[in-house]
Amino acid sequence: ELKVEQNPLFLSMQEGKNYTIYCNYSTTSDRLYWYRQDPGKSLESLFVLLSNGAVKQEGRLMASLDTKARLSTLHITAAVHDLSATYFCAVDGGSGGGADGLTFGKGTHLIIQP
Amino acid sequence: DTAVSQTPKYLVTQMGNDKSIKCEQNLGHDTMYWYKQDSKKFLKIMFSYNNKELIINETVPNRFSPKSPDKAHLNLHINSLELGDSAVYFCASTLGILANYGYTFGSGTRLTVV
């Protein structure tokens, strides 16, 4: 059974600081996704990582994937209050046959204080 | 607007009732999913359909029955609602079973069983 672990689950940080959220998963997969969720809202796609060594950046967020270590990171640079949200990593696959859907981590609740 | 749309957005109902949630996507995707997000914000896949055919049926009570009349629609019918069914239900879609372009989520249906 595919397991996805995120840490930390809760993070309070100050504006201007840098931090990294980690996502470990238990089985071979090269498809990993990061989502943002604001309270009461849907899941907004941030990054789609489809190969070992993939690195993507959007604004103050950068995500990477190491399939050999089964690890993805979401790095926040010079955090601003608007980035406060819950961030989920999710891994696709289990059977390898497709349409397996996503297995999600428990989410990282990020609060960025002025 | 191209999107995954769900109706209703909110649903409050009594135990024992039967209710349906509808999902439609106009993205030209061929694979659709239902996810459940519980009160702790944990997300878990329930079902996936590819071109109207059921691919995944996770450990979900028989009271839940998905129906896909065509590849643009995936509805969820729930019989004999229980208090534990209270959650937010998200519909999602992908292009292709390998989801190389990521998943698009609907806005969610908040179901409250009283």
Side-chain angles (χ1 to χ4, degrees):
Chain A
E1 181 189 351
L2 174 57
K3 293 188 188 301
V4 180
E5 290 188 1
Q6 271 182 253
N7 68 83
L9 297 183
F10 182 82
L11 178 57
S12 179
M13 55 192 292
Q14 287 187 316
E15 281 191 325
K17 300 291 187 182
N18 303 333
Y19 210 84
T20 300
I21 299 170
Y22 297 88
C23 176
N24 290 91
Y25 54 97
S26 62
T27 65
T28 302
S29 177
D30 55 4
R31 303 199 296 275
L32 189 139
Y33 309 80
W34 284 96
Y35 288 90
R36 168 181 173 150
Q37 187 177 38
D38 292 297
K41 301 293 186 182
S42 183
L43 293 149
E44 174 191 351
S45 179
L46 295 175
F47 299 107
V48 177
L49 303 170
L50 299 177
S51 61
N52 185 39
V55 178
K56 292 194 175 180
Q57 183 164 3
E58 181 72 35
R60 299 173 188 275
L61 301 178
M62 183 173 71
S64 66
L65 176 61
D66 181 344
T67 59
K68 293 179 181 177
R70 299 177 187 172
L71 170 68
S72 180
T73 61
L74 180 66
H75 187 72
I76 303 159
T77 302
V80 293
H81 178 70
D82 286 352
L83 290 178
S84 296
T86 299
Y87 292 84
F88 291 93
C89 68
V91 178
D92 198 343
S95 71
D100 293 333
L102 294 171
T103 299
F104 282 85
K106 291 185 177 180
T108 296
H109 183 50
L110 175 64
I111 295 176
I112 299 170
Q113 299 177 353
Chain B
D1 287 345
T2 56
V4 178
S5 56
Q6 292 179 232
T7 55
K9 191 170 175 62
Y10 300 97
L11 186 52
V12 181
T13 188
Q14 290 187 327
M15 278 195 303
N17 283 350
D18 303 338
K19 291 293 179 186
S20 292
I21 305 171
K22 294 185 176 182
C23 178
E24 174 182 6
Q25 54 89 9
N26 61 3
L27 299 165
H29 289 174
D30 55 6
T31 308
M32 297 184 73
Y33 308 80
W34 279 109
Y35 289 84
K36 178 180 179 180
Q37 186 172 42
D38 63 22
S39 59
K40 296 183 179 179
K41 296 199 179 298
F42 184 62
L43 283 146
K44 187 171 170 61
I45 188 166
M46 300 173 70
F47 302 101
S48 72
Y49 270 74
N50 175 248
N51 283 318
K52 304 191 299 175
E53 290 193 19
L54 179 66
I55 304 297
I56 287 179
N57 180 352
E58 287 295 311
T59 309
V60 176
N62 291 340
R63 300 181 294 102
F64 290 78
S65 53
K67 284 188 172 55
S68 181
D70 55 61
K71 66 179 185 180
H73 295 83
L74 181 61
N75 304 323
L76 184 63
H77 187 75
I78 316 169
N79 290 326
S80 303
L81 278 154
E82 300 177 357
L83 291 176
D85 298 332
S86 296
V88 180
Y89 293 84
F90 286 100
C91 177
S93 69
T94 62
L95 179 62
I97 59 175
L98 294 181
N100 287 338
Y101 300 99
Y103 290 68
T104 303
F105 282 82
S107 57
T109 296
R110 183 174 293 276
L111 172 65
T112 303
V113 183
V114 297

mmCIF file with all atom_site columns, all heavy atoms in Angstrom, chain A residues 52-73:
data_model
loop_
_atom_site.group_PDB
_atom_site.id
_atom_site.type_symbol
_atom_site.label_atom_id
_atom_site.label_alt_id
_atom_site.label_comp_id
_atom_site.label_asym_id
_atom_site.label_entity_id
_atom_site.label_seq_id
_atom_site.pdbx_PDB_ins_code
_atom_site.Cartn_x
_atom_site.Cartn_y
_atom_site.Cartn_z
_atom_site.occupancy
_atom_site.B_iso_or_equiv
_atom_site.pdbx_formal_charge
_atom_site.auth_seq_id
_atom_site.auth_comp_id
_atom_site.auth_asym_id
_atom_site.auth_atom_id
_atom_site.pdbx_PDB_model_num
ATOM 1   N N   . ASN A 1 52 ? 12.525 11.766 -12.332 1.00 0.00 ? 52 ASN A N   1
ATOM 2   C CA  . ASN A 1 52 ? 13.568 11.919 -11.329 1.00 0.00 ? 52 ASN A CA  1
ATOM 3   C C   . ASN A 1 52 ? 14.392 13.164 -11.637 1.00 0.00 ? 52 ASN A C   1
ATOM 4   O O   . ASN A 1 52 ? 14.784 13.391 -12.780 1.00 0.00 ? 52 ASN A O   1
ATOM 5   C CB  . ASN A 1 52 ? 14.475 10.689 -11.316 1.00 0.00 ? 52 ASN A CB  1
ATOM 6   C CG  . ASN A 1 52 ? 15.498 10.760 -10.206 1.00 0.00 ? 52 ASN A CG  1
ATOM 7   O OD1 . ASN A 1 52 ? 15.198 11.212 -9.101  1.00 0.00 ? 52 ASN A OD1 1
ATOM 8   N ND2 . ASN A 1 52 ? 16.707 10.338 -10.497 1.00 0.00 ? 52 ASN A ND2 1
ATOM 9   N N   . GLY A 1 53 ? 14.632 13.959 -10.630 1.00 0.00 ? 53 GLY A N   1
ATOM 10  C CA  . GLY A 1 53 ? 15.428 15.171 -10.821 1.00 0.00 ? 53 GLY A CA  1
ATOM 11  C C   . GLY A 1 53 ? 14.624 16.364 -11.274 1.00 0.00 ? 53 GLY A C   1
ATOM 12  O O   . GLY A 1 53 ? 15.172 17.449 -11.460 1.00 0.00 ? 53 GLY A O   1
ATOM 13  N N   . ALA A 1 54 ? 13.318 16.188 -11.452 1.00 0.00 ? 54 ALA A N   1
ATOM 14  C CA  . ALA A 1 54 ? 12.490 17.307 -11.903 1.00 0.00 ? 54 ALA A CA  1
ATOM 15  C C   . ALA A 1 54 ? 12.531 18.425 -10.871 1.00 0.00 ? 54 ALA A C   1
ATOM 16  O O   . ALA A 1 54 ? 12.435 18.186 -9.673  1.00 0.00 ? 54 ALA A O   1
ATOM 17  C CB  . ALA A 1 54 ? 11.059 16.848 -12.136 1.00 0.00 ? 54 ALA A CB  1
ATOM 18  N N   . VAL A 1 55 ? 12.672 19.638 -11.352 1.00 0.00 ? 55 VAL A N   1
ATOM 19  C CA  . VAL A 1 55 ? 12.648 20.827 -10.514 1.00 0.00 ? 55 VAL A CA  1
ATOM 20  C C   . VAL A 1 55 ? 11.775 21.856 -11.217 1.00 0.00 ? 55 VAL A C   1
ATOM 21  O O   . VAL A 1 55 ? 11.961 22.126 -12.401 1.00 0.00 ? 55 VAL A O   1
ATOM 22  C CB  . VAL A 1 55 ? 14.050 21.413 -10.281 1.00 0.00 ? 55 VAL A CB  1
ATOM 23  C CG1 . VAL A 1 55 ? 13.955 22.694 -9.443  1.00 0.00 ? 55 VAL A CG1 1
ATOM 24  C CG2 . VAL A 1 55 ? 14.954 20.397 -9.602  1.00 0.00 ? 55 VAL A CG2 1
ATOM 25  N N   . LYS A 1 56 ? 10.823 22.404 -10.468 1.00 0.00 ? 56 LYS A N   1
ATOM 26  C CA  . LYS A 1 56 ? 9.961  23.438 -11.038 1.00 0.00 ? 56 LYS A CA  1
ATOM 27  C C   . LYS A 1 56 ? 9.852  24.597 -10.055 1.00 0.00 ? 56 LYS A C   1
ATOM 28  O O   . LYS A 1 56 ? 9.840  24.381 -8.837  1.00 0.00 ? 56 LYS A O   1
ATOM 29  C CB  . LYS A 1 56 ? 8.583  22.866 -11.365 1.00 0.00 ? 56 LYS A CB  1
ATOM 30  C CG  . LYS A 1 56 ? 8.615  21.860 -12.509 1.00 0.00 ? 56 LYS A CG  1
ATOM 31  C CD  . LYS A 1 56 ? 7.231  21.576 -13.026 1.00 0.00 ? 56 LYS A CD  1
ATOM 32  C CE  . LYS A 1 56 ? 7.325  20.673 -14.246 1.00 0.00 ? 56 LYS A CE  1
ATOM 33  N NZ  . LYS A 1 56 ? 5.987  20.353 -14.794 1.00 0.00 ? 56 LYS A NZ  1
ATOM 34  N N   . GLN A 1 57 ? 9.750  25.784 -10.615 1.00 0.00 ? 57 GLN A N   1
ATOM 35  C CA  . GLN A 1 57 ? 9.663  26.982 -9.771  1.00 0.00 ? 57 GLN A CA  1
ATOM 36  C C   . GLN A 1 57 ? 8.551  27.880 -10.261 1.00 0.00 ? 57 GLN A C   1
ATOM 37  O O   . GLN A 1 57 ? 8.323  28.030 -11.467 1.00 0.00 ? 57 GLN A O   1
ATOM 38  C CB  . GLN A 1 57 ? 10.985 27.737 -9.781  1.00 0.00 ? 57 GLN A CB  1
ATOM 39  C CG  . GLN A 1 57 ? 10.986 28.959 -8.863  1.00 0.00 ? 57 GLN A CG  1
ATOM 40  C CD  . GLN A 1 57 ? 12.378 29.492 -8.573  1.00 0.00 ? 57 GLN A CD  1
ATOM 41  O OE1 . GLN A 1 57 ? 13.366 28.987 -9.107  1.00 0.00 ? 57 GLN A OE1 1
ATOM 42  N NE2 . GLN A 1 57 ? 12.461 30.481 -7.707  1.00 0.00 ? 57 GLN A NE2 1
ATOM 43  N N   . GLU A 1 58 ? 7.847  28.453 -9.304  1.00 0.00 ? 58 GLU A N   1
ATOM 44  C CA  . GLU A 1 58 ? 6.808  29.417 -9.605  1.00 0.00 ? 58 GLU A CA  1
ATOM 45  C C   . GLU A 1 58 ? 6.827  30.446 -8.488  1.00 0.00 ? 58 GLU A C   1
ATOM 46  O O   . GLU A 1 58 ? 6.447  30.159 -7.347  1.00 0.00 ? 58 GLU A O   1
ATOM 47  C CB  . GLU A 1 58 ? 5.439  28.737 -9.676  1.00 0.00 ? 58 GLU A CB  1
ATOM 48  C CG  . GLU A 1 58 ? 4.290  29.655 -10.014 1.00 0.00 ? 58 GLU A CG  1
ATOM 49  C CD  . GLU A 1 58 ? 4.300  30.098 -11.468 1.00 0.00 ? 58 GLU A CD  1
ATOM 50  O OE1 . GLU A 1 58 ? 4.699  29.299 -12.327 1.00 0.00 ? 58 GLU A OE1 1
ATOM 51  O OE2 . GLU A 1 58 ? 3.902  31.240 -11.734 1.00 0.00 ? 58 GLU A OE2 1
ATOM 52  N N   . GLY A 1 59 ? 7.299  31.628 -8.821  1.00 0.00 ? 59 GLY A N   1
ATOM 53  C CA  . GLY A 1 59 ? 7.365  32.687 -7.805  1.00 0.00 ? 59 GLY A CA  1
ATOM 54  C C   . GLY A 1 59 ? 8.290  32.290 -6.661  1.00 0.00 ? 59 GLY A C   1
ATOM 55  O O   . GLY A 1 59 ? 9.439  31.926 -6.871  1.00 0.00 ? 59 GLY A O   1
ATOM 56  N N   . ARG A 1 60 ? 7.779  32.321 -5.459  1.00 0.00 ? 60 ARG A N   1
ATOM 57  C CA  . ARG A 1 60 ? 8.582  32.020 -4.275  1.00 0.00 ? 60 ARG A CA  1
ATOM 58  C C   . ARG A 1 60 ? 8.598  30.528 -3.924  1.00 0.00 ? 60 ARG A C   1
ATOM 59  O O   . ARG A 1 60 ? 9.172  30.137 -2.902  1.00 0.00 ? 60 ARG A O   1
ATOM 60  C CB  . ARG A 1 60 ? 8.031  32.802 -3.085  1.00 0.00 ? 60 ARG A CB  1
ATOM 61  C CG  . ARG A 1 60 ? 8.080  34.313 -3.287  1.00 0.00 ? 60 ARG A CG  1
ATOM 62  C CD  . ARG A 1 60 ? 7.375  35.050 -2.159  1.00 0.00 ? 60 ARG A CD  1
ATOM 63  N NE  . ARG A 1 60 ? 7.256  36.467 -2.433  1.00 0.00 ? 60 ARG A NE  1
ATOM 64  C CZ  . ARG A 1 60 ? 8.205  37.362 -2.171  1.00 0.00 ? 60 ARG A CZ  1
ATOM 65  N NH1 . ARG A 1 60 ? 9.331  36.969 -1.586  1.00 0.00 ? 60 ARG A NH1 1
ATOM 66  N NH2 . ARG A 1 60 ? 8.025  38.630 -2.479  1.00 0.00 ? 60 ARG A NH2 1
ATOM 67  N N   . LEU A 1 61 ? 7.967  29.713 -4.732  1.00 0.00 ? 61 LEU A N   1
ATOM 68  C CA  . LEU A 1 61 ? 7.882  28.281 -4.469  1.00 0.00 ? 61 LEU A CA  1
ATOM 69  C C   . LEU A 1 61 ? 8.712  27.502 -5.490  1.00 0.00 ? 61 LEU A C   1
ATOM 70  O O   . LEU A 1 61 ? 8.683  27.813 -6.685  1.00 0.00 ? 61 LEU A O   1
ATOM 71  C CB  . LEU A 1 61 ? 6.434  27.796 -4.542  1.00 0.00 ? 61 LEU A CB  1
ATOM 72  C CG  . LEU A 1 61 ? 5.446  28.435 -3.592  1.00 0.00 ? 61 LEU A CG  1
ATOM 73  C CD1 . LEU A 1 61 ? 4.043  27.876 -3.839  1.00 0.00 ? 61 LEU A CD1 1
ATOM 74  C CD2 . LEU A 1 61 ? 5.841  28.212 -2.146  1.00 0.00 ? 61 LEU A CD2 1
ATOM 75  N N   . MET A 1 62 ? 9.431  26.497 -4.978  1.00 0.00 ? 62 MET A N   1
ATOM 76  C CA  . MET A 1 62 ? 10.182 25.620 -5.856  1.00 0.00 ? 62 MET A CA  1
ATOM 77  C C   . MET A 1 62 ? 10.009 24.188 -5.369  1.00 0.00 ? 62 MET A C   1
ATOM 78  O O   . MET A 1 62 ? 10.149 23.917 -4.175  1.00 0.00 ? 62 MET A O   1
ATOM 79  C CB  . MET A 1 62 ? 11.670 25.977 -5.857  1.00 0.00 ? 62 MET A CB  1
ATOM 80  C CG  . MET A 1 62 ? 12.488 25.125 -6.814  1.00 0.00 ? 62 MET A CG  1
ATOM 81  S SD  . MET A 1 62 ? 14.190 25.676 -6.965  1.00 0.00 ? 62 MET A SD  1
ATOM 82  C CE  . MET A 1 62 ? 14.842 25.224 -5.371  1.00 0.00 ? 62 MET A CE  1
ATOM 83  N N   . ALA A 1 63 ? 9.717  23.294 -6.298  1.00 0.00 ? 63 ALA A N   1
ATOM 84  C CA  . ALA A 1 63 ? 9.511  21.894 -5.944  1.00 0.00 ? 63 ALA A CA  1
ATOM 85  C C   . ALA A 1 63 ? 10.507 21.027 -6.689  1.00 0.00 ? 63 ALA A C   1
ATOM 86  O O   . ALA A 1 63 ? 10.872 21.317 -7.834  1.00 0.00 ? 63 ALA A O   1
ATOM 87  C CB  . ALA A 1 63 ? 8.090  21.464 -6.286  1.00 0.00 ? 63 ALA A CB  1
ATOM 88  N N   . SER A 1 64 ? 10.911 19.941 -6.038  1.00 0.00 ? 64 SER A N   1
ATOM 89  C CA  . SER A 1 64 ? 11.847 19.014 -6.659  1.00 0.00 ? 64 SER A CA  1
ATOM 90  C C   . SER A 1 64 ? 11.429 17.587 -6.348  1.00 0.00 ? 64 SER A C   1
ATOM 91  O O   . SER A 1 64 ? 10.670 17.338 -5.402  1.00 0.00 ? 64 SER A O   1
ATOM 92  C CB  . SER A 1 64 ? 13.270 19.263 -6.138  1.00 0.00 ? 64 SER A CB  1
ATOM 93  O OG  . SER A 1 64 ? 13.338 18.954 -4.750  1.00 0.00 ? 64 SER A OG  1
ATOM 94  N N   . LEU A 1 65 ? 11.932 16.669 -7.171  1.00 0.00 ? 65 LEU A N   1
ATOM 95  C CA  . LEU A 1 65 ? 11.576 15.268 -6.992  1.00 0.00 ? 65 LEU A CA  1
ATOM 96  C C   . LEU A 1 65 ? 12.820 14.405 -7.136  1.00 0.00 ? 65 LEU A C   1
ATOM 97  O O   . LEU A 1 65 ? 13.544 14.501 -8.139  1.00 0.00 ? 65 LEU A O   1
ATOM 98  C CB  . LEU A 1 65 ? 10.523 14.837 -8.030  1.00 0.00 ? 65 LEU A CB  1
ATOM 99  C CG  . LEU A 1 65 ? 10.115 13.369 -8.017  1.00 0.00 ? 65 LEU A CG  1
ATOM 100 C CD1 . LEU A 1 65 ? 9.487  12.983 -6.679  1.00 0.00 ? 65 LEU A CD1 1
ATOM 101 C CD2 . LEU A 1 65 ? 9.148  13.068 -9.159  1.00 0.00 ? 65 LEU A CD2 1
ATOM 102 N N   . ASP A 1 66 ? 13.046 13.545 -6.160  1.00 0.00 ? 66 ASP A N   1
ATOM 103 C CA  . ASP A 1 66 ? 14.111 12.544 -6.195  1.00 0.00 ? 66 ASP A CA  1
ATOM 104 C C   . ASP A 1 66 ? 13.431 11.188 -6.071  1.00 0.00 ? 66 ASP A C   1
ATOM 105 O O   . ASP A 1 66 ? 13.074 10.764 -4.970  1.00 0.00 ? 66 ASP A O   1
ATOM 106 C CB  . ASP A 1 66 ? 15.101 12.790 -5.048  1.00 0.00 ? 66 ASP A CB  1
ATOM 107 C CG  . ASP A 1 66 ? 16.248 11.791 -5.034  1.00 0.00 ? 66 ASP A CG  1
ATOM 108 O OD1 . ASP A 1 66 ? 16.133 10.742 -5.691  1.00 0.00 ? 66 ASP A OD1 1
ATOM 109 O OD2 . ASP A 1 66 ? 17.247 12.057 -4.365  1.00 0.00 ? 66 ASP A OD2 1
ATOM 110 N N   . THR A 1 67 ? 13.245 10.509 -7.190  1.00 0.00 ? 67 THR A N   1
ATOM 111 C CA  . THR A 1 67 ? 12.495 9.250  -7.162  1.00 0.00 ? 67 THR A CA  1
ATOM 112 C C   . THR A 1 67 ? 13.303 8.124  -6.516  1.00 0.00 ? 67 THR A C   1
ATOM 113 O O   . THR A 1 67 ? 12.723 7.178  -5.982  1.00 0.00 ? 67 THR A O   1
ATOM 114 C CB  . THR A 1 67 ? 12.072 8.824  -8.572  1.00 0.00 ? 67 THR A CB  1
ATOM 115 O OG1 . THR A 1 67 ? 13.252 8.679  -9.381  1.00 0.00 ? 67 THR A OG1 1
ATOM 116 C CG2 . THR A 1 67 ? 11.138 9.836  -9.192  1.00 0.00 ? 67 THR A CG2 1
ATOM 117 N N   . LYS A 1 68 ? 14.621 8.246  -6.559  1.00 0.00 ? 68 LYS A N   1
ATOM 118 C CA  . LYS A 1 68 ? 15.443 7.196  -5.946  1.00 0.00 ? 68 LYS A CA  1
ATOM 119 C C   . LYS A 1 68 ? 15.323 7.246  -4.424  1.00 0.00 ? 68 LYS A C   1
ATOM 120 O O   . LYS A 1 68 ? 15.255 6.211  -3.757  1.00 0.00 ? 68 LYS A O   1
ATOM 121 C CB  . LYS A 1 68 ? 16.890 7.328  -6.385  1.00 0.00 ? 68 LYS A CB  1
ATOM 122 C CG  . LYS A 1 68 ? 17.082 7.052  -7.870  1.00 0.00 ? 68 LYS A CG  1
ATOM 123 C CD  . LYS A 1 68 ? 18.532 7.215  -8.304  1.00 0.00 ? 68 LYS A CD  1
ATOM 124 C CE  . LYS A 1 68 ? 18.660 6.951  -9.799  1.00 0.00 ? 68 LYS A CE  1
ATOM 125 N NZ  . LYS A 1 68 ? 20.059 7.165  -10.274 1.00 0.00 ? 68 LYS A NZ  1
ATOM 126 N N   . ALA A 1 69 ? 15.300 8.451  -3.886  1.00 0.00 ? 69 ALA A N   1
ATOM 127 C CA  . ALA A 1 69 ? 15.116 8.630  -2.451  1.00 0.00 ? 69 ALA A CA  1
ATOM 128 C C   . ALA A 1 69 ? 13.643 8.635  -2.059  1.00 0.00 ? 69 ALA A C   1
ATOM 129 O O   . ALA A 1 69 ? 13.319 8.648  -0.876  1.00 0.00 ? 69 ALA A O   1
ATOM 130 C CB  . ALA A 1 69 ? 15.776 9.925  -2.000  1.00 0.00 ? 69 ALA A CB  1
ATOM 131 N N   . ARG A 1 70 ? 12.753 8.636  -3.067  1.00 0.00 ? 70 ARG A N   1
ATOM 132 C CA  . ARG A 1 70 ? 11.305 8.716  -2.825  1.00 0.00 ? 70 ARG A CA  1
ATOM 133 C C   . ARG A 1 70 ? 10.992 9.945  -1.980  1.00 0.00 ? 70 ARG A C   1
ATOM 134 O O   . ARG A 1 70 ? 10.296 9.864  -0.954  1.00 0.00 ? 70 ARG A O   1
ATOM 135 C CB  . ARG A 1 70 ? 10.784 7.438  -2.185  1.00 0.00 ? 70 ARG A CB  1
ATOM 136 C CG  . ARG A 1 70 ? 11.010 6.225  -3.070  1.00 0.00 ? 70 ARG A CG  1
ATOM 137 C CD  . ARG A 1 70 ? 10.572 4.946  -2.430  1.00 0.00 ? 70 ARG A CD  1
ATOM 138 N NE  . ARG A 1 70 ? 10.948 3.800  -3.250  1.00 0.00 ? 70 ARG A NE  1
ATOM 139 C CZ  . ARG A 1 70 ? 10.819 2.547  -2.861  1.00 0.00 ? 70 ARG A CZ  1
ATOM 140 N NH1 . ARG A 1 70 ? 10.315 2.263  -1.672  1.00 0.00 ? 70 ARG A NH1 1
ATOM 141 N NH2 . ARG A 1 70 ? 11.192 1.563  -3.670  1.00 0.00 ? 70 ARG A NH2 1
ATOM 142 N N   . LEU A 1 71 ? 11.506 11.065 -2.437  1.00 0.00 ? 71 LEU A N   1
ATOM 143 C CA  . LEU A 1 71 ? 11.418 12.300 -1.672  1.00 0.00 ? 71 LEU A CA  1
ATOM 144 C C   . LEU A 1 71 ? 11.143 13.476 -2.609  1.00 0.00 ? 71 LEU A C   1
ATOM 145 O O   . LEU A 1 71 ? 11.769 13.617 -3.667  1.00 0.00 ? 71 LEU A O   1
ATOM 146 C CB  . LEU A 1 71 ? 12.721 12.556 -0.924  1.00 0.00 ? 71 LEU A CB  1
ATOM 147 C CG  . LEU A 1 71 ? 12.891 13.914 -0.250  1.00 0.00 ? 71 LEU A CG  1
ATOM 148 C CD1 . LEU A 1 71 ? 11.934 14.056 0.929   1.00 0.00 ? 71 LEU A CD1 1
ATOM 149 C CD2 . LEU A 1 71 ? 14.327 14.100 0.212   1.00 0.00 ? 71 LEU A CD2 1
ATOM 150 N N   . SER A 1 72 ? 10.200 14.301 -2.210  1.00 0.00 ? 72 SER A N   1
ATOM 151 C CA  . SER A 1 72 ? 9.983  15.569 -2.881  1.00 0.00 ? 72 SER A CA  1
ATOM 152 C C   . SER A 1 72 ? 10.049 16.679 -1.846  1.00 0.00 ? 72 SER A C   1
ATOM 153 O O   . SER A 1 72 ? 9.715  16.467 -0.678  1.00 0.00 ? 72 SER A O   1
ATOM 154 C CB  . SER A 1 72 ? 8.622  15.597 -3.581  1.00 0.00 ? 72 SER A CB  1
ATOM 155 O OG  . SER A 1 72 ? 8.415  16.830 -4.227  1.00 0.00 ? 72 SER A OG  1
ATOM 156 N N   . THR A 1 73 ? 10.509 17.829 -2.277  1.00 0.00 ? 73 THR A N   1
ATOM 157 C CA  . THR A 1 73 ? 10.565 18.976 -1.382  1.00 0.00 ? 73 THR A CA  1
ATOM 158 C C   . THR A 1 73 ? 9.839  20.153 -2.014  1.00 0.00 ? 73 THR A C   1
ATOM 159 O O   . THR A 1 73 ? 9.815  20.308 -3.237  1.00 0.00 ? 73 THR A O   1
ATOM 160 C CB  . THR A 1 73 ? 12.008 19.388 -1.064  1.00 0.00 ? 73 THR A CB  1
ATOM 161 O OG1 . THR A 1 73 ? 12.668 19.745 -2.281  1.00 0.00 ? 73 THR A OG1 1
ATOM 162 C CG2 . THR A 1 73 ? 12.760 18.271 -0.374  1.00 0.00 ? 73 THR A CG2 1
#
